[in-house]
């Protein structure tokens, strides 16, 4: 590797599929550690993440370090052949930091302090917090730089905090000066002429704290951008410290799946390995589809290459209203789904279920029932499966001809409290569109609207309320080169300062779809539907007038919008001004994909069977309630069982086959 090149995921995995989880030995006596290591070996665990919440143990008093226990843990794991993903412990500062330095604590929008006693009680903007976080990171990196167990750095944990306090306000002003230059430009970008908000001095500019009535949407949007950037600064500061000590050890941070707080596209560029935590609800009939969405998104953030499933649950989580365990086989099914969609690591929170603390009812790879418990026995089976398929699967990549576009800035702007319908949220719309593609067995990547999209035949925009000029031009250019573009409602409404574009939709897009005038938006009530020719729309509808250039339209039927276009097609550009019911959206996208020359992974797949190709391996995953037979022409070897099969395979409930020609 040339000295300047960054290490890659392959430097961590070295041809294996990683299997393991968060390991918190500080919660247990040392006898348990030896037992842990025995069980890890038996279960095929080859990686654990250590130290995520260990700051108080590593630095019990300011500047006083206790690394002895961690030395022993690292040595023990290394001796057992288990690699260590070493975490900086900065997500949960020790109580002394908050007591001695209250300026490290974040404030909510009412000015209330968030104190220790939980976790993530740190202000991303606090210079004192950053200094102490840097110091413990420095000490950790210096101590373990040469340790043979160290395979990957894991910075912090699920960065997800906001701060409306004074120090954050000062940093916000600096950030705004950088973005807007002058106060005049800020006033212009925020539209402060509305409601007498004009700023005459930078000192007047605040984070969007509690107000009597609706907040300025552009101010809120910039605050969200700022928050993502501040958290990213915390990440890169620690990343740079560990890189200085270990230039060849890759760095990651585990982001929450589809979490609104951080712009994960931007973050992925700063990581050597992209990782994600994923907790679909076992009771959600669309849990597998949600998983697929997050996995597609994460793979895309990793540039199509391997990524890490850093955390999932072996059974129940402990933070939903009602927390269900995973029925037999579901953990295995969802783990193999992640591998199918490009993961090179299947990891859990956490190895051993805690007996104390806030998450003592959150499952572990070794649950309260111990090694003979069903959950642990299933974990062992997964470990064996991963070892068996790794040599065939790891070299393979998932490729897609369909890109779904997503952008955090658009999400932030689109969900302002002054919008026309609170029923419309980006996750609902995004999931509906991805579901339609997933159920149509079309493999999808995700992309940012300004990315190079030239390798995709079909580009799907569930909703991009805010589009920059560059993004609009990019979409237009894709259609010009012959790609198929399908846009959902409320797309292209605002520019990057959340200013409504002329006519309510960017004129370049209106021309693309053959729309002369967007007269009105007609949001629907929860549960309300609107008849269209051949299907029913949900959530939203639009009063559009075509300009006569569209090649085809599907009209609304009945009511105020009777006869007006619900769907327009002009050449290869489609606009869908409502959210068709699930079966209708699936049928529409299937038809459009066929026209674009995009084929499903396999023809004739039963409904609840997911098929994904990763390199030469064909994964078949049964998400249905009972056994199912899948037609797969030809002779194949099932890598999981070692058996050869011809033309068809029967999968039990939660069953998986990984086939190779
Ligand atoms: C997240 C966190 C873990 C743990 C789990 C519980 O993924 O990173 O520390 O709290 O949630 O689901």
């Amino acid at each position: 590797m040339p000295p300047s090149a960054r290490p890659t995921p392959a430097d961590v995995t070295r041809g294996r599929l990683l299997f393991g989880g968060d390991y918190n030995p500080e919660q247990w006596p040392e006898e348990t550690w030896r037992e842990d290591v025995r069980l890890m070996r038996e279960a095929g665990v080859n990686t654990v993440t250590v130290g995520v919440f260990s700051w108080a143990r590593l630095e019990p008093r300011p500047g006083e370090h206790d690394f002895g226990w961690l030395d022993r843990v690292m040595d023990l794991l290394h001796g057992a052949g288990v690699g260590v993903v070493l975490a900086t412990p900065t997500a949960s500062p020790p109580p002394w930091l908050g007591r001695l330095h209250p300026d490290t604590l974040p404030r909510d929008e009412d000015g209330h302090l968030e104190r220790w006693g939980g976790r993530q009680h740190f202000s991303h903007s606090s210079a004192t917090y950053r200094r102490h976080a840097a110091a413990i990171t420095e000490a950790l990196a210096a101590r373990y730089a040469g340790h043979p167990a160290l395979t990957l750095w894991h910075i912090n944990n699920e960065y997800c905090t906001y701060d409306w306090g004074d120090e954050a306000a000062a940093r916000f002003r600096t950030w705004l000066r950088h973005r807007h230059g002058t106060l005049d430009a800020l006033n212009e970008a925020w539209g402060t002429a509305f409601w007498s908000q004009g700023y005459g001095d930078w000192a007047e500019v605040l984070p969007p704290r509690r107000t009597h009535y609706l907040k300025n949407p552009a101010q809120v949007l910039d605050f969200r951008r700022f928050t993502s950037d501040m958290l990213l600064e915390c990440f890169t500061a620690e990343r740079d410290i560990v890189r200085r000590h270990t230039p060849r050890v890759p760095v990651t941070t585990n982001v929450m799946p589809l979490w609104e707080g951080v712009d994960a596209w931007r973050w992925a560029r700063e990581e050597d390995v992209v990782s994600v935590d994923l907790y679909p609800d076992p009771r959600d009939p669309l849990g597998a589809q949600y998983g697929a969405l997050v996995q597609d998104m994460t793979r895309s953030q990793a540039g199509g290459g391997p990524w890490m499933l850093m955390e999932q649950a072996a059974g129940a989580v402990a933070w939903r209203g009602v927390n269900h365990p995973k029925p037999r086989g579901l953990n295995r099914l969802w783990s193999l789904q992640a591998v199918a969609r490009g993961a090179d690591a299947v990891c859990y929170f956490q190895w051993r279920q805690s007996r104390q603390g806030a998450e003592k009812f959150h499952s572990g790879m070794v649950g309260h029932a111990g090694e003979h418990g069903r959950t642990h026995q299933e974990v062992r089976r997964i470990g064996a499966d991963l070892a068996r398929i790794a040599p065939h699967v790891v070299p393979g990549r998932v490729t897609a001809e369909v890109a779904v576009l997503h952008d955090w800035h658009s999400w932030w702007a689109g969900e302002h409290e002054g919008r026309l319908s609170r029923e419309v949220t980006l996750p609902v719309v995004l999931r509906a569109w991805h579901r339609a593609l997933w159920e149509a067995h079309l493999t999808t990547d995700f992309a940012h609207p300004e990315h190079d999209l030239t390798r995709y035949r079909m580009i799907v925009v569930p909703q991009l309320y805010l589009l920059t000029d560059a993004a609009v031009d990019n979409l237009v250019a894709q259609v010009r080169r012959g790609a198929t573009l399908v846009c959902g409602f409320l797309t292209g409404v605002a520019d990057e300062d959340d200013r409504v574009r002329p006519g309510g939709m960017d004129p370049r897009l209106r021309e693309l779809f053959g729309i002369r005038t967007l007269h009105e938006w007609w949001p629907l009530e929860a549960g309300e539907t609107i008849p269209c020719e051949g299907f029913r729309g949900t959530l939203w509808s639009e009063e559009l007038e075509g300009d006569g250039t569209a090649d085809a339209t599907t009209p609304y039927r009945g009511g105020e919008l009777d006869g007006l276009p619900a769907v327009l097609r002009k050449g290869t550009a489609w606009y869908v001004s409502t959210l068709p019911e699930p079966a209708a959206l699936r049928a529409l996208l299937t038809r459009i994909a066929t026209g674009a020359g995009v084929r499903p992974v396999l023809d004739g797949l039963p409904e609840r069977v997911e098929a994904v190709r990763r390199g030469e391996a064909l994964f078949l995953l049964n998400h249905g309630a009972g056994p199912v037979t899948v037609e797969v022409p030809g002779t194949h070897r099932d890598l999981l069982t070692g058996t050869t099969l011809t033309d068809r395979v029967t999968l039990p409930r939660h069953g998986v086959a990984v086939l190779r020609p």
Side-chain angles (χ1 to χ4, degrees):
M1 185 171 78
S4 60
R6 292 298 315 148
T8 67
D11 293 307
V12 191
T13 53
R14 300 198 310 276
R16 302 163 303 166
L17 290 169
L18 297 184
F19 183 56
D22 278 21
Y23 180 41
N24 299 300
E26 65 271 35
Q27 298 175 13
W28 300 94
E30 295 206 18
E31 309 84 81
T32 312
W33 303 359
R34 282 184 286 280
E35 162 91 346
D36 284 330
V37 163
R38 174 182 68 81
L39 292 176
M40 285 177 194
R41 291 177 72 131
E42 289 174 14
V45 165
N46 52 22
T47 183
V48 290
T49 303
V50 177
V52 179
F53 296 111
S54 302
W55 195 344
R57 185 74 191 264
L58 291 171
E59 191 178 3
R61 278 163 292 282
E64 190 183 312
H65 293 141
D66 175 7
F67 286 119
W69 67 276
L70 186 52
D71 292 350
R72 294 195 293 285
V73 168
M74 297 281 286
D75 292 348
L76 188 66
L77 291 166
H78 180 61
V82 178
V84 172
V85 177
L86 191 55
T88 64
T90 51
S92 194
W96 59 255
L97 188 71
R99 184 173 72 86
L100 297 177
H101 304 287
D103 57 309
T104 60
L105 302 171
R107 284 186 189 270
D108 69 13
E109 54 184 327
D110 289 319
H112 297 137
L113 271 188
E114 290 180 7
R115 292 187 176 74
W116 57 96
R119 68 179 195 192
Q120 277 135 342
H121 47 283
F122 66 89
S123 161
H124 51 56
S125 286
S126 161
T128 310
Y129 164 74
R130 288 187 183 198
R131 200 168 55 247
H132 282 271
I136 188 67
T137 300
E138 181 76 43
L140 202 65
R143 187 161 189 102
Y144 297 105
H147 199 288
L150 174 67
T151 57
L152 176 68
W153 286 106
H154 175 298
I155 304 294
N156 201 281
N157 190 72
E158 293 190 338
Y159 279 105
C160 63
T161 54
Y162 291 90
D163 185 15
W164 284 263
D166 288 343
E167 200 169 351
R171 282 201 197 248
F172 187 39
R173 284 179 208 116
T174 306
W175 184 94
L176 289 167
R177 278 179 198 265
H178 192 254
R179 177 173 176 82
H180 297 289
T182 65
L183 210 45
D184 283 349
L186 178 135
N187 279 313
E188 165 59 30
W190 285 11
T192 56
F194 190 78
W195 285 353
S196 176
Q197 291 172 355
Y199 294 99
D201 191 307
W202 281 102
E204 295 157 6
V205 179
L206 293 174
R209 292 178 180 160
R210 172 79 50 212
T211 52
H212 175 71
Y213 189 45
L214 305 179
K215 295 175 185 175
N216 181 317
Q219 179 187 5
V220 173
L221 173 59
D222 271 352
F223 184 67
R224 285 178 168 274
R225 290 174 167 142
F226 158 79
T227 299
S228 178
D229 284 358
M230 285 306 99
L231 291 170
L232 186 59
E233 274 187 19
C234 291
F235 166 75
T236 54
E238 293 184 28
R239 178 204 65 189
D240 291 347
I241 293 169
V242 300
R243 274 188 181 170
R244 189 157 37 72
H245 288 274
T246 54
R248 279 159 197 267
V249 178
V251 187
T252 191
T253 182
N254 54 332
V255 300
M256 279 197 270
L258 199 65
W259 185 60
E260 61 173 14
V262 299
D263 175 356
W265 290 121
R266 173 81 191 79
W267 280 57
R269 299 209 303 262
E270 305 291 343
E271 299 176 74
D272 300 316
V273 177
V274 177
S275 56
V276 77
D277 301 342
L278 178 56
Y279 295 97
D281 185 345
R283 276 288 179 98
D284 179 354
L286 289 170
Q289 179 264 320
Y290 169 68
L293 184 159
V294 169
Q295 292 157 12
D296 289 346
M297 181 92 81
T298 309
R299 182 186 67 249
S300 304
Q301 283 155 6
W307 53 278
M308 289 182 73
L309 176 57
M310 190 60 92
E311 290 182 23
Q312 62 169 344
V317 301
W319 39 261
R320 291 199 168 93
V322 179
N323 298 289
H324 300 283
K326 285 183 171 163
R328 186 176 294 282
L330 190 63
N331 180 10
R332 178 173 180 267
L333 176 68
W334 285 358
S335 297
L336 290 166
Q337 181 194 35
V339 176
R341 293 187 177 271
D344 271 3
V346 172
C347 300
Y348 296 79
F349 176 84
Q350 59 178 329
W351 163 252
R352 186 181 278 280
Q353 185 169 15
S354 304
R355 291 183 58 202
Q356 293 178 290
E359 294 188 322
K360 59 184 180 292
F361 295 118
H362 189 295
S363 56
M365 297 170 82
V366 184
H368 291 151
E371 68 178 290
H372 302 296
R374 173 176 67 83
T375 301
H376 182 68
Q377 290 303 314
E378 290 194 46
V379 159
R380 289 181 174 221
R381 182 173 180 207
I382 298 166
D385 285 336
L386 296 180
R388 205 171 295 126
I389 66 175
H392 309 276
V393 166
V394 169
R397 294 281 175 275
V398 179
T399 53
E401 294 180 310
V402 182
V404 178
L405 304 193
H406 172 63
D407 173 29
W408 268 264
H409 299 239
S410 177
W411 184 3
W412 295 333
E415 296 205 354
H416 182 257
E417 41 188 352
R419 66 192 187 274
L420 288 181
S421 168
R422 299 200 184 183
E423 292 303 314
V424 176
T425 65
L426 201 273
V428 166
V429 175
L430 197 62
R431 279 189 72 168
W433 283 75
H434 184 273
R435 172 187 174 181
L437 294 159
W438 184 76
E439 289 180 340
H441 307 293
L442 298 166
T443 308
T444 53
D445 281 348
F446 277 83
H448 182 274
E450 292 180 25
H451 280 173
D452 176 2
L453 302 171
T454 49
R455 68 175 176 282
Y456 299 107
R457 284 173 189 258
M458 179 166 162
I459 295 154
V460 175
V461 179
Q463 181 172 96
L464 284 172
Y465 159 85
L466 177 158
L467 282 172
T468 62
D469 283 333
V472 173
D473 289 341
N474 196 23
L475 296 187
V476 173
Q478 300 314 311
V479 175
R480 299 268 177 272
R481 75 164 169 88
T484 295
L485 173 71
V486 195
C487 286
F489 68 86
L490 259 187
T491 287
V493 174
D495 71 11
E496 75 173 292
D497 292 321
D498 196 13
R499 191 182 286 105
V500 176
R501 296 219 176 241
M505 182 199 278
D506 187 274
R508 288 162 289 184
L509 292 180
R510 273 187 279 129
E511 202 213 316
L512 199 65
F513 303 124
I515 298 170
R516 174 175 297 126
T517 310
L518 196 175
H519 290 286
E520 291 290 348
W521 289 297
W522 291 81
L524 305 183
E525 293 291 334
E528 187 185 354
T529 61
I530 184 165
C532 308
E533 195 163 286
F535 69 94
R536 300 185 80 84
T538 67
L539 275 186
W540 193 262
S541 54
E542 293 180 355
E543 186 176 341
L544 299 170
E545 183 185 326
D547 64 9
T549 61
D551 295 304
T553 57
T554 305
Y556 288 104
R557 282 289 175 229
E560 290 290 337
L561 306 185
D562 187 39
L564 297 179
V567 180
L568 297 101
R569 177 180 74 77
K570 181 173 164 185
T572 58
W574 295 73
Y575 185 70
V576 185
S577 67
T578 181
L579 181 69
E581 283 185 330
L585 187 56
R586 188 196 326 157
L588 178 67
L589 291 177
T590 303
R591 188 153 60 85
I592 297 175
T594 307
V598 179
R599 309 277 323 135
V601 180
L602 211 62
D603 285 321
L605 278 167
E607 248 192 31
R608 300 280 297 162
V609 173
E610 175 180 1
V612 191
R613 282 187 202 281
R614 178 171 174 179
E616 294 210 327
L618 171 66
F619 285 73
L620 297 171
L621 304 125
N622 180 12
H623 301 293
V628 67
T629 297
V630 185
E631 307 292 326
V632 262
T635 301
H636 316 265
R637 188 153 59 91
D638 184 347
L639 298 173
L640 288 168
T641 58
T643 54
T644 299
L645 51 97
T646 309
D647 293 341
R648 64 188 54 82
V649 57
T650 297
L651 303 171
R653 172 180 183 240
H654 297 154
V656 186
V658 184
L659 305 182
R660 272 202 63 168

